[in-house]
PDB file of all heavy atoms in Angstrom:
ATOM      1  N   PHE A  29     -15.752  30.218  -5.398  1.00  0.00           N
ATOM      2  CA  PHE A  29     -15.321  31.416  -5.901  1.00  0.00           C
ATOM      3  C   PHE A  29     -15.551  32.576  -4.941  1.00  0.00           C
ATOM      4  O   PHE A  29     -16.429  32.425  -4.005  1.00  0.00           O
ATOM      5  CB  PHE A  29     -15.911  31.713  -7.322  1.00  0.00           C
ATOM      6  CG  PHE A  29     -17.317  32.093  -7.370  1.00  0.00           C
ATOM      7  CD1 PHE A  29     -17.703  33.398  -7.096  1.00  0.00           C
ATOM      8  CD2 PHE A  29     -18.297  31.060  -7.557  1.00  0.00           C
ATOM      9  CE1 PHE A  29     -19.236  33.702  -7.124  1.00  0.00           C
ATOM     10  CE2 PHE A  29     -19.569  31.391  -7.703  1.00  0.00           C
ATOM     11  CZ  PHE A  29     -20.051  32.565  -7.433  1.00  0.00           C
ATOM     12  N   ARG A  30     -15.007  33.596  -5.070  1.00  0.00           N
ATOM     13  CA  ARG A  30     -15.308  34.806  -4.061  1.00  0.00           C
ATOM     14  C   ARG A  30     -15.431  36.003  -4.851  1.00  0.00           C
ATOM     15  O   ARG A  30     -14.953  36.136  -6.116  1.00  0.00           O
ATOM     16  CB  ARG A  30     -14.070  34.961  -3.114  1.00  0.00           C
ATOM     17  CG  ARG A  30     -12.778  35.284  -3.670  1.00  0.00           C
ATOM     18  CD  ARG A  30     -11.583  35.282  -2.611  1.00  0.00           C
ATOM     19  NE  ARG A  30     -10.318  35.644  -3.138  1.00  0.00           N
ATOM     20  CZ  ARG A  30      -9.314  35.553  -2.498  1.00  0.00           C
ATOM     21  NH1 ARG A  30      -9.296  35.186  -1.245  1.00  0.00           N
ATOM     22  NH2 ARG A  30      -7.978  35.884  -2.986  1.00  0.00           N
ATOM     23  N   GLN A  31     -15.996  36.973  -4.264  1.00  0.00           N
ATOM     24  CA  GLN A  31     -16.274  38.285  -5.006  1.00  0.00           C
ATOM     25  C   GLN A  31     -16.097  39.430  -3.959  1.00  0.00           C
ATOM     26  O   GLN A  31     -16.791  39.387  -2.969  1.00  0.00           O
ATOM     27  CB  GLN A  31     -17.660  38.253  -5.613  1.00  0.00           C
ATOM     28  CG  GLN A  31     -18.100  39.498  -6.466  1.00  0.00           C
ATOM     29  CD  GLN A  31     -19.396  39.409  -7.188  1.00  0.00           C
ATOM     30  OE1 GLN A  31     -20.270  38.603  -6.793  1.00  0.00           O
ATOM     31  NE2 GLN A  31     -19.363  39.977  -8.414  1.00  0.00           N
ATOM     32  N   VAL A  32     -15.312  40.373  -4.416  1.00  0.00           N
ATOM     33  CA  VAL A  32     -14.975  41.465  -3.626  1.00  0.00           C
ATOM     34  C   VAL A  32     -16.053  42.537  -4.053  1.00  0.00           C
ATOM     35  O   VAL A  32     -16.304  42.569  -5.314  1.00  0.00           O
ATOM     36  CB  VAL A  32     -13.566  41.931  -3.713  1.00  0.00           C
ATOM     37  CG1 VAL A  32     -13.454  43.336  -2.973  1.00  0.00           C
ATOM     38  CG2 VAL A  32     -12.657  40.948  -3.317  1.00  0.00           C
ATOM     39  N   SER A  33     -16.521  43.372  -3.213  1.00  0.00           N
ATOM     40  CA  SER A  33     -17.561  44.326  -3.518  1.00  0.00           C
ATOM     41  C   SER A  33     -17.035  45.257  -4.599  1.00  0.00           C
ATOM     42  O   SER A  33     -15.990  45.794  -4.583  1.00  0.00           O
ATOM     43  CB  SER A  33     -17.875  45.202  -2.307  1.00  0.00           C
ATOM     44  OG  SER A  33     -18.767  46.154  -2.613  1.00  0.00           O
ATOM     45  N   GLY A  34     -17.914  45.354  -5.659  1.00  0.00           N
ATOM     46  CA  GLY A  34     -17.488  46.181  -6.818  1.00  0.00           C
ATOM     47  C   GLY A  34     -16.565  45.512  -7.769  1.00  0.00           C
ATOM     48  O   GLY A  34     -16.174  46.151  -8.770  1.00  0.00           O
ATOM     49  N   LYS A  35     -16.179  44.276  -7.640  1.00  0.00           N
ATOM     50  CA  LYS A  35     -15.239  43.613  -8.537  1.00  0.00           C
ATOM     51  C   LYS A  35     -15.923  42.188  -9.054  1.00  0.00           C
ATOM     52  O   LYS A  35     -16.985  41.855  -8.537  1.00  0.00           O
ATOM     53  CB  LYS A  35     -13.948  43.255  -7.903  1.00  0.00           C
ATOM     54  CG  LYS A  35     -13.256  44.555  -7.601  1.00  0.00           C
ATOM     55  CD  LYS A  35     -11.848  44.312  -6.963  1.00  0.00           C
ATOM     56  CE  LYS A  35     -11.151  45.564  -6.634  1.00  0.00           C
ATOM     57  NZ  LYS A  35      -9.721  45.258  -6.119  1.00  0.00           N
ATOM     58  N   GLY A  36     -15.268  41.571  -9.954  1.00  0.00           N
ATOM     59  CA  GLY A  36     -15.665  40.353 -10.557  1.00  0.00           C
ATOM     60  C   GLY A  36     -15.488  39.210  -9.761  1.00  0.00           C
ATOM     61  O   GLY A  36     -14.821  39.197  -8.555  1.00  0.00           O
ATOM     62  N   ARG A  37     -16.023  38.160 -10.141  1.00  0.00           N
ATOM     63  CA  ARG A  37     -15.804  36.832  -9.360  1.00  0.00           C
ATOM     64  C   ARG A  37     -14.480  36.240  -9.678  1.00  0.00           C
ATOM     65  O   ARG A  37     -13.820  36.297 -10.786  1.00  0.00           O
ATOM     66  CB  ARG A  37     -16.873  35.767  -9.807  1.00  0.00           C
ATOM     67  CG  ARG A  37     -18.290  36.237  -9.627  1.00  0.00           C
ATOM     68  CD  ARG A  37     -19.225  35.404 -10.297  1.00  0.00           C
ATOM     69  NE  ARG A  37     -20.724  35.841 -10.010  1.00  0.00           N
ATOM     70  CZ  ARG A  37     -21.772  35.360 -10.736  1.00  0.00           C
ATOM     71  NH1 ARG A  37     -21.665  34.554 -11.775  1.00  0.00           N
ATOM     72  NH2 ARG A  37     -22.947  35.855 -10.396  1.00  0.00           N
ATOM     73  N   GLU A  38     -13.840  35.855  -8.542  1.00  0.00           N
ATOM     74  CA  GLU A  38     -12.546  35.173  -8.665  1.00  0.00           C
ATOM     75  C   GLU A  38     -12.643  33.610  -8.296  1.00  0.00           C
ATOM     76  O   GLU A  38     -12.912  33.287  -7.164  1.00  0.00           O
ATOM     77  CB  GLU A  38     -11.416  35.820  -7.776  1.00  0.00           C
ATOM     78  CG  GLU A  38     -10.151  35.118  -7.717  1.00  0.00           C
ATOM     79  CD  GLU A  38      -9.220  35.607  -6.767  1.00  0.00           C
ATOM     80  OE1 GLU A  38      -9.706  36.302  -5.810  1.00  0.00           O
ATOM     81  OE2 GLU A  38      -8.057  35.500  -6.906  1.00  0.00           O
ATOM     82  N   ALA A  39     -12.384  32.784  -9.227  1.00  0.00           N
ATOM     83  CA  ALA A  39     -12.298  31.372  -9.067  1.00  0.00           C
ATOM     84  C   ALA A  39     -11.181  31.092  -8.066  1.00  0.00           C
ATOM     85  O   ALA A  39     -10.090  31.430  -8.444  1.00  0.00           O
ATOM     86  CB  ALA A  39     -12.393  30.487 -10.173  1.00  0.00           C
ATOM     87  N   ILE A  40     -11.240  30.370  -7.022  1.00  0.00           N
ATOM     88  CA  ILE A  40     -10.223  30.133  -6.086  1.00  0.00           C
ATOM     89  C   ILE A  40      -9.910  28.597  -5.904  1.00  0.00           C
ATOM     90  O   ILE A  40      -8.714  28.277  -5.589  1.00  0.00           O
ATOM     91  CB  ILE A  40     -10.381  30.747  -4.730  1.00  0.00           C
ATOM     92  CG1 ILE A  40     -11.681  30.269  -4.083  1.00  0.00           C
ATOM     93  CG2 ILE A  40     -10.526  32.284  -4.824  1.00  0.00           C
ATOM     94  CD1 ILE A  40     -11.900  30.715  -2.671  1.00  0.00           C
ATOM     95  N   SER A  41     -10.821  27.796  -6.074  1.00  0.00           N
ATOM     96  CA  SER A  41     -10.469  26.313  -5.877  1.00  0.00           C
ATOM     97  C   SER A  41     -11.603  25.491  -6.634  1.00  0.00           C
ATOM     98  O   SER A  41     -12.699  25.865  -6.863  1.00  0.00           O
ATOM     99  CB  SER A  41     -10.436  26.010  -4.395  1.00  0.00           C
ATOM    100  OG  SER A  41      -9.868  24.670  -4.334  1.00  0.00           O
ATOM    101  N   CYS A  42     -11.164  24.223  -6.825  1.00  0.00           N
ATOM    102  CA  CYS A  42     -12.099  23.189  -7.473  1.00  0.00           C
ATOM    103  C   CYS A  42     -11.558  21.851  -7.076  1.00  0.00           C
ATOM    104  O   CYS A  42     -10.527  21.565  -6.900  1.00  0.00           O
ATOM    105  CB  CYS A  42     -12.142  23.222  -9.064  1.00  0.00           C
ATOM    106  SG  CYS A  42     -13.322  22.217  -9.828  1.00  0.00           S
ATOM    107  N   ILE A  43     -12.654  20.914  -6.891  1.00  0.00           N
ATOM    108  CA  ILE A  43     -12.386  19.598  -6.550  1.00  0.00           C
ATOM    109  C   ILE A  43     -13.158  18.703  -7.381  1.00  0.00           C
ATOM    110  O   ILE A  43     -14.338  18.969  -7.798  1.00  0.00           O
ATOM    111  CB  ILE A  43     -12.572  19.253  -5.126  1.00  0.00           C
ATOM    112  CG1 ILE A  43     -12.172  17.923  -4.666  1.00  0.00           C
ATOM    113  CG2 ILE A  43     -14.019  19.524  -4.649  1.00  0.00           C
ATOM    114  CD1 ILE A  43     -12.239  17.798  -3.124  1.00  0.00           C
ATOM    115  N   SER A  44     -12.598  17.654  -7.879  1.00  0.00           N
ATOM    116  CA  SER A  44     -13.385  16.623  -8.830  1.00  0.00           C
ATOM    117  C   SER A  44     -14.383  15.916  -7.968  1.00  0.00           C
ATOM    118  O   SER A  44     -14.463  15.913  -6.780  1.00  0.00           O
ATOM    119  CB  SER A  44     -12.345  15.572  -9.367  1.00  0.00           C
ATOM    120  OG  SER A  44     -11.710  14.855  -8.357  1.00  0.00           O
ATOM    121  N   GLY A  45     -15.244  15.275  -8.674  1.00  0.00           N
ATOM    122  CA  GLY A  45     -16.377  14.544  -8.178  1.00  0.00           C
ATOM    123  C   GLY A  45     -15.988  13.479  -7.100  1.00  0.00           C
ATOM    124  O   GLY A  45     -16.578  13.415  -6.017  1.00  0.00           O
ATOM    125  N   SER A  46     -15.004  12.800  -7.362  1.00  0.00           N
ATOM    126  CA  SER A  46     -14.407  11.746  -6.467  1.00  0.00           C
ATOM    127  C   SER A  46     -13.590  12.431  -5.388  1.00  0.00           C
ATOM    128  O   SER A  46     -13.370  11.670  -4.306  1.00  0.00           O
ATOM    129  CB  SER A  46     -13.613  10.771  -7.252  1.00  0.00           C
ATOM    130  OG  SER A  46     -12.465  11.398  -7.678  1.00  0.00           O
ATOM    131  N   GLY A  47     -13.185  13.461  -5.395  1.00  0.00           N
ATOM    132  CA  GLY A  47     -12.277  14.116  -4.419  1.00  0.00           C
ATOM    133  C   GLY A  47     -10.830  13.912  -4.698  1.00  0.00           C
ATOM    134  O   GLY A  47     -10.051  14.280  -3.838  1.00  0.00           O
ATOM    135  N   SER A  48     -10.516  13.200  -5.678  1.00  0.00           N
ATOM    136  CA  SER A  48      -9.143  12.813  -5.908  1.00  0.00           C
ATOM    137  C   SER A  48      -8.119  13.748  -6.518  1.00  0.00           C
ATOM    138  O   SER A  48      -6.968  13.753  -6.465  1.00  0.00           O
ATOM    139  CB  SER A  48      -9.067  11.621  -6.815  1.00  0.00           C
ATOM    140  OG  SER A  48      -9.528  11.915  -8.134  1.00  0.00           O
ATOM    141  N   SER A  49      -8.862  14.917  -7.111  1.00  0.00           N
ATOM    142  CA  SER A  49      -8.109  15.945  -7.656  1.00  0.00           C
ATOM    143  C   SER A  49      -8.563  17.303  -7.202  1.00  0.00           C
ATOM    144  O   SER A  49      -9.720  17.559  -7.073  1.00  0.00           O
ATOM    145  CB  SER A  49      -8.193  15.927  -9.209  1.00  0.00           C
ATOM    146  OG  SER A  49      -7.628  14.791  -9.735  1.00  0.00           O
ATOM    147  N   THR A  50      -7.609  18.178  -6.932  1.00  0.00           N
ATOM    148  CA  THR A  50      -7.865  19.515  -6.447  1.00  0.00           C
ATOM    149  C   THR A  50      -7.034  20.504  -7.111  1.00  0.00           C
ATOM    150  O   THR A  50      -5.826  20.255  -7.548  1.00  0.00           O
ATOM    151  CB  THR A  50      -7.723  19.611  -4.924  1.00  0.00           C
ATOM    152  OG1 THR A  50      -6.383  19.363  -4.589  1.00  0.00           O
ATOM    153  CG2 THR A  50      -8.708  18.636  -4.202  1.00  0.00           C
ATOM    154  N   VAL A  51      -7.563  21.734  -7.360  1.00  0.00           N
ATOM    155  CA  VAL A  51      -6.673  22.833  -7.904  1.00  0.00           C
ATOM    156  C   VAL A  51      -6.965  24.050  -7.114  1.00  0.00           C
ATOM    157  O   VAL A  51      -8.127  24.216  -6.537  1.00  0.00           O
ATOM    158  CB  VAL A  51      -6.992  23.066  -9.462  1.00  0.00           C
ATOM    159  CG1 VAL A  51      -6.432  21.809 -10.260  1.00  0.00           C
ATOM    160  CG2 VAL A  51      -8.522  23.239  -9.621  1.00  0.00           C
ATOM    161  N   TYR A  52      -6.076  24.980  -7.107  1.00  0.00           N
ATOM    162  CA  TYR A  52      -6.303  26.264  -6.395  1.00  0.00           C
ATOM    163  C   TYR A  52      -5.665  27.382  -7.389  1.00  0.00           C
ATOM    164  O   TYR A  52      -4.708  27.206  -8.121  1.00  0.00           O
ATOM    165  CB  TYR A  52      -5.370  26.300  -5.177  1.00  0.00           C
ATOM    166  CG  TYR A  52      -5.802  25.198  -4.237  1.00  0.00           C
ATOM    167  CD1 TYR A  52      -5.241  23.897  -4.206  1.00  0.00           C
ATOM    168  CD2 TYR A  52      -6.805  25.446  -3.335  1.00  0.00           C
ATOM    169  CE1 TYR A  52      -5.698  22.870  -3.455  1.00  0.00           C
ATOM    170  CE2 TYR A  52      -7.259  24.443  -2.448  1.00  0.00           C
ATOM    171  CZ  TYR A  52      -6.718  23.173  -2.575  1.00  0.00           C
ATOM    172  OH  TYR A  52      -7.167  22.116  -1.624  1.00  0.00           O
ATOM    173  N   ALA A  53      -6.261  28.523  -7.155  1.00  0.00           N
ATOM    174  CA  ALA A  53      -5.732  29.762  -7.597  1.00  0.00           C
ATOM    175  C   ALA A  53      -4.509  30.123  -7.040  1.00  0.00           C
ATOM    176  O   ALA A  53      -4.318  29.837  -5.869  1.00  0.00           O
ATOM    177  CB  ALA A  53      -6.768  30.982  -7.531  1.00  0.00           C
ATOM    178  N   GLY A  54      -3.584  30.810  -7.758  1.00  0.00           N
ATOM    179  CA  GLY A  54      -2.164  31.119  -7.046  1.00  0.00           C
ATOM    180  C   GLY A  54      -2.438  32.075  -5.882  1.00  0.00           C
ATOM    181  O   GLY A  54      -1.466  32.028  -4.910  1.00  0.00           O
ATOM    182  N   SER A  55      -3.420  32.883  -5.800  1.00  0.00           N
ATOM    183  CA  SER A  55      -3.719  33.804  -4.747  1.00  0.00           C
ATOM    184  C   SER A  55      -3.963  33.122  -3.395  1.00  0.00           C
ATOM    185  O   SER A  55      -3.908  33.741  -2.335  1.00  0.00           O
ATOM    186  CB  SER A  55      -4.802  34.660  -5.085  1.00  0.00           C
ATOM    187  OG  SER A  55      -6.109  33.968  -5.279  1.00  0.00           O
ATOM    188  N   VAL A  56      -4.409  31.798  -3.394  1.00  0.00           N
ATOM    189  CA  VAL A  56      -4.823  31.179  -2.176  1.00  0.00           C
ATOM    190  C   VAL A  56      -3.974  29.862  -2.092  1.00  0.00           C
ATOM    191  O   VAL A  56      -4.225  29.335  -0.968  1.00  0.00           O
ATOM    192  CB  VAL A  56      -6.264  30.899  -2.191  1.00  0.00           C
ATOM    193  CG1 VAL A  56      -7.069  32.186  -2.402  1.00  0.00           C
ATOM    194  CG2 VAL A  56      -6.637  29.835  -3.228  1.00  0.00           C
ATOM    195  N   GLU A  57      -3.333  29.397  -3.023  1.00  0.00           N
ATOM    196  CA  GLU A  57      -2.650  28.132  -2.798  1.00  0.00           C
ATOM    197  C   GLU A  57      -1.587  28.157  -1.610  1.00  0.00           C
ATOM    198  O   GLU A  57      -0.958  29.109  -1.561  1.00  0.00           O
ATOM    199  CB  GLU A  57      -1.864  27.745  -4.149  1.00  0.00           C
ATOM    200  CG  GLU A  57      -1.304  26.431  -4.044  1.00  0.00           C
ATOM    201  CD  GLU A  57      -0.803  25.874  -5.466  1.00  0.00           C
ATOM    202  OE1 GLU A  57      -0.676  26.758  -6.374  1.00  0.00           O
ATOM    203  OE2 GLU A  57      -0.585  24.758  -5.620  1.00  0.00           O
ATOM    204  N   GLY A  58      -1.652  27.137  -0.814  1.00  0.00           N
ATOM    205  CA  GLY A  58      -0.748  27.057   0.298  1.00  0.00           C
ATOM    206  C   GLY A  58      -1.505  27.472   1.632  1.00  0.00           C
ATOM    207  O   GLY A  58      -1.051  27.118   2.718  1.00  0.00           O
ATOM    208  N   GLY A  59      -2.601  28.232   1.557  1.00  0.00           N
ATOM    209  CA  GLY A  59      -3.309  28.720   2.625  1.00  0.00           C
ATOM    210  C   GLY A  59      -4.784  28.142   2.738  1.00  0.00           C
ATOM    211  O   GLY A  59      -5.307  27.940   3.755  1.00  0.00           O
TER     212      GLY A  59
END
């Protein structure tokens, strides 16, 4: 997750324990 100064936390990505599944926030997907 990331946090901009003065703002809340933004979850941006997650990966499963095995590494087989990943997800991304729309703001960062593709990059």
